Amino acid sequence: ATPDPVNGATLTGKVAFTGVKPPAVMIDMSANPACERAHKSAPLAAEDIVVNPNGTLKYVFVWVKSGLPAGQRWVIPTAAVTLDQNGCQYQPHMLGVMTGQNIEIRNSDPTNHNIHPQPSLNAEWNDYQTPGSEAKFKTFSRQEVMIPVKCNVHPWMRSFIGAVNHPFFAVTGVDGTFTIVGLPPGTYVIQTWHEKYGTVEQTVTVGAKETKTVEFSYKG
């Protein structure tokens, strides 16, 4: 099956942040001259907590945790999702894929990198990528929210991958919003996941062609 954007339901919303915004933590890349040069004019801040100007959180994974029809098999997208190593950071910091969907891993830097996901349910792997080398394609076969990714060469490099066995997920961006389209009518548990603030869940019921707004909030 595939999502039905015409007859299915749409979930929209945002992930708000309340409390005192934590100060930015700048990353020290002096151990690697190539990395340091990439950010000489503008030092790079850690992305574990990114509060947007409108008071929302970036890099929150939003997904349908439960409620989909039992045994339903969803078509795996043929397009790969890209994880780039650029400026000695993972871009993007967080992404979502379907189980079995290709992740295209690139190295856009003039330095060696090491890609080391650390899953709990999927097979762990540790791969090396030299400058200018061909992209590597990887998949995760089991649902797992979330999988941390690190670089053994550059310890400040961190990313997170949400592997889900259906297509109903999103990652919040610069305005903290999310949209999930094409849901079958039903009652669902929607979960948000943030690497520092943990998970929040809400139950929502949607009908055919219905659009519903779901608001989440984390306190710093």
Side-chain angles (χ1 to χ4, degrees), residues 177-194:
T177 65
F178 63 88
T179 302
I180 297 174
V181 300
L183 269 171
T187 298
Y188 301 99
V189 174
I190 311 300
Q191 184 186 75
T192 59
W193 185 98
H194 186 272

Side-chain angles (χ1 to χ4, degrees), residues 15-22 49 51 54-57 197 216-220:
V15 181
F17 177 83
T18 62
V20 179
K21 178 180 177 180
I49 303 173
V51 180
N54 66 347
T56 60
L57 277 173
Y197 298 132
F216 291 89
S217 180
Y218 287 93
K219 185 173 183 179

